[in-house]
Amino acid sequence: MQIHVLASGSTGNAIFVEMNQTKLLVDAGISARRIKNSLDSLGTRVEDIDGVLITHEHHDHVSGLTTLLKKYRLPAYANPDTWLAMSCRQALPDECCLSFKDSLDIGEMKIEPFSISHDAADPVGYSLYCGEIKCSVATDLGFVTPEVKQSLSLSDVVVLESNHDLDMLKKGSYPWPLKKRIMGNKGHLANTDAGWTLARLPRKARTDVFLAHLSQENNRPDLAANTVGGILAEQRIKLGEEITLHLTYPDRIAGIK
């Protein structure tokens, strides 16, 4: 198994997951060239990707999709409302645009989408299974519902939003309507939300967690790690043993094998 967050943040998002020779991308919010170059650096050809899973239609999750599908004819999966809301949909090859409503199987992986709370048409996170291994992705969500908590539970790897520090956001330069949107139930998770979510999750003996979609304006990697890690430590969760935190970045790859 290997999971690499190729990019994460408001400027673009893409995650590469490989389990038992099945290779998937979750989102394609950076250029197709950058996706190709990133995969090349990991020893994977973009032509060998078995599918692209789209969480929602916002630009920072689909900006590379048009070139990726036109040039490489990769199959892409999204729910029907996401396809309808996607501004680039008319430019995409119809045969590459596949819809789902429930779970689907791609190669050796079973994929189960789950609803998340965000200001998009029908946004989802994903749980990816291969044998006993489970990887879950939940970024761009305003709060953690019981369904999300259940979907993240007992994962070997979790990619979870840790978007902003609440004090930085409140005191920052964003206009109030944008601050209100980010803090709302259909906005983005604060560092403290991510920390308490992880602290309360049913877990396996060891879990790797990627803190994702960090705001460049209203957060810092060290602050996210310290806030989340502090909450976990207060709850007597052993960092580096029970939960290992990994930071993600908009401009470089973060991953595990």
Side-chain angles (χ1 to χ4, degrees), residues 222-239:
D222 63 316
L223 184 55
N226 290 339
T227 301
V228 173
I231 290 170
L232 296 176
E234 286 174 4
Q235 300 304 302
R236 299 184 179 180
I237 296 168
K238 296 178 181 177
L239 293 173

Side-chain angles (χ1 to χ4, degrees), residues 74-204:
L74 301 180
Y77 300 83
N79 60 46
D81 287 342
T82 295
W83 285 127
L84 287 173
M86 200 177 295
S87 61
C88 63
R89 172 60 185 88
Q90 296 304 313
L92 302 176
D94 287 339
E95 67 273 17
C96 295
C97 300
L98 306 175
S99 295
F100 62 83
K101 268 297 184 183
D102 299 306
S103 64
L104 65 151
D105 295 318
I106 303 175
E108 297 295 317
M109 282 196 228
K110 181 180 182 65
I111 296 101
E112 291 187 352
F114 54 90
S115 294
I116 58 175
S117 179
H118 192 52
D119 54 358
D122 189 8
V124 298
Y126 290 103
S127 289
L128 313 177
Y129 299 84
C130 186
E132 298 298 315
I133 303 298
K134 178 182 180 184
C135 170
S136 297
V137 177
T139 64
D140 294 69
L141 66 166
F143 75 106
V144 176
T145 64
E147 180 184 1
V148 171
K149 182 179 178 181
Q150 177 63 35
S151 297
L152 298 180
S153 296
L154 301 175
S155 296
D156 296 276
V157 180
V158 176
V159 182
L160 179 65
E161 178 168 61
S162 189
N163 177 257
H164 59 276
D165 174 79
L166 197 55
D167 287 338
M168 285 185 69
L169 176 62
K170 288 179 177 178
K171 296 174 183 177
S173 62
Y174 282 5
W176 171 245
L178 180 55
K179 293 181 181 180
K180 187 176 179 181
R181 174 205 168 232
I182 292 170
M183 291 185 290
N185 284 345
K186 292 189 176 182
H188 294 277
L189 281 189
N191 294 334
T192 50
D193 296 325
W196 283 111
T197 296
L198 294 168
R200 292 165 176 161
L201 275 184
R203 298 182 307 277
K204 292 185 177 180

